[in-house]
Amino acid sequence: FELAYAGSRGRQYLLKGDPNEAPATVGVTNSNLLRPFATLAPALRTVGQVQSTGILNYNAFLAKFQRRFANGFSLLGAYTFAKAMDYNSDNDGTVTVANVYNIAGYNYGPSDYDIRHTLSVSGMYELPWARDKWFGGWQVTGIGYWRTGYPFTPGQTQGILSTTVGGTGQRPNVVGDWEVDNPTIDKWFEPTAFQPPADNTGTYGDAGRNIMRGPEQFNIDMSLIKNTRFGRFNLELRCEAFNVLNHPQFGQPNRTI
């Protein structure tokens, strides 16, 4: 049995922003009016600029249990409780960070790839009967995997008129509890817990980045193995079944309010 801690602290990661993004200003309805370079180049819009201002904080607790093969049985289990935090997890292509005037305050949250809990278990059992006979030599193996869902950010169709909103778009305000007792693919969260800001000209919503979680993943694969020896040679026949419980693996829900 093993226990361990793993952590990393990254600084000066690449972060792509837009230095020509207009500041959100209440009362302004033209997203190009207040762009910093509007007087120099009125037709200039989004400017992708990569800076070394990104950060990453990762902390994890790890537990491992192993029973080495003995008496026809082996088992290996591993559990990870982890947390990854950053400003933005996607810096390829277009500008995806929201509110470049307050990147740390508005965007610091769980990474897009953050998985809070992960459990994996694998084992092998050698059937005890007729091990030395030609009709013996049977083994059963299995691998089970479970993890919590990826995070996602609530969004809305209403934008901010005075600026362009990168990333996942404008976020709503949180006005209640979005968690439901028994989430389904038809209703993964409570949409009435979010409302658009009353002002749509220069007010960002207060919902945090990646505050909700998508569906968990669960899967079991199994194998039935027959080993037969022919002198110095060994013949192995395998019958493998993937996702033996036929458990559905759903993607992220529609996050738009």
Side-chain angles (χ1 to χ4, degrees), residues 120-251:
S120 63
V121 179
S122 62
M124 189 271 284
Y125 179 63
E126 187 177 75
L127 300 181
W129 49 273
R131 290 180 178 175
D132 299 326
K133 306 295 184 180
W134 66 268
F135 53 86
W138 293 91
Q139 295 177 342
V140 177
T141 66
I143 299 176
Y145 175 76
W146 170 83
R147 68 161 173 80
T148 51
Y150 286 112
F152 66 97
T153 304
Q156 63 179 42
T157 56
Q158 174 181 294
I160 301 179
L161 298 180
S162 62
T163 187
T164 54
V165 183
T168 55
Q170 164 67 317
R171 306 174 200 165
N173 288 331
V174 179
V175 295
D177 184 7
W178 63 80
E179 295 184 352
V180 295
D181 293 333
N182 297 298
T184 65
I185 58 174
D186 296 318
K187 186 179 181 180
W188 191 255
F189 60 91
E190 180 55 60
T192 59
F194 303 95
Q195 288 184 0
D199 168 66
N200 69 338
T201 60
T203 304
Y204 285 95
D206 61 16
R209 170 175 167 259
N210 285 340
I211 58 175
M212 297 193 289
R213 294 277 167 173
E216 64 184 29
Q217 299 289 311
F218 175 71
N219 184 72
I220 295 179
D221 300 331
M222 297 193 70
S223 299
L224 179 63
I225 304 172
K226 172 66 170 72
N227 291 301
T228 304
R229 290 197 62 84
F230 296 96
R232 296 184 297 110
F233 302 97
N234 182 69
L235 174 65
E236 180 181 278
L237 300 177
R238 303 174 66 95
C239 178
E240 299 181 331
F242 300 96
N243 193 14
V244 294
L245 300 181
N246 197 29
H247 187 77
Q249 314 291 345
F250 295 112

Side-chain angles (χ1 to χ4, degrees), residues 6-26:
S8 64
R9 181 176 182 267
R11 295 297 183 267
Q12 296 184 341
Y13 276 41
L14 295 181
L15 186 67
K16 194 170 187 178
D18 178 13
N20 198 36
E21 179 179 298
T25 306
V26 175

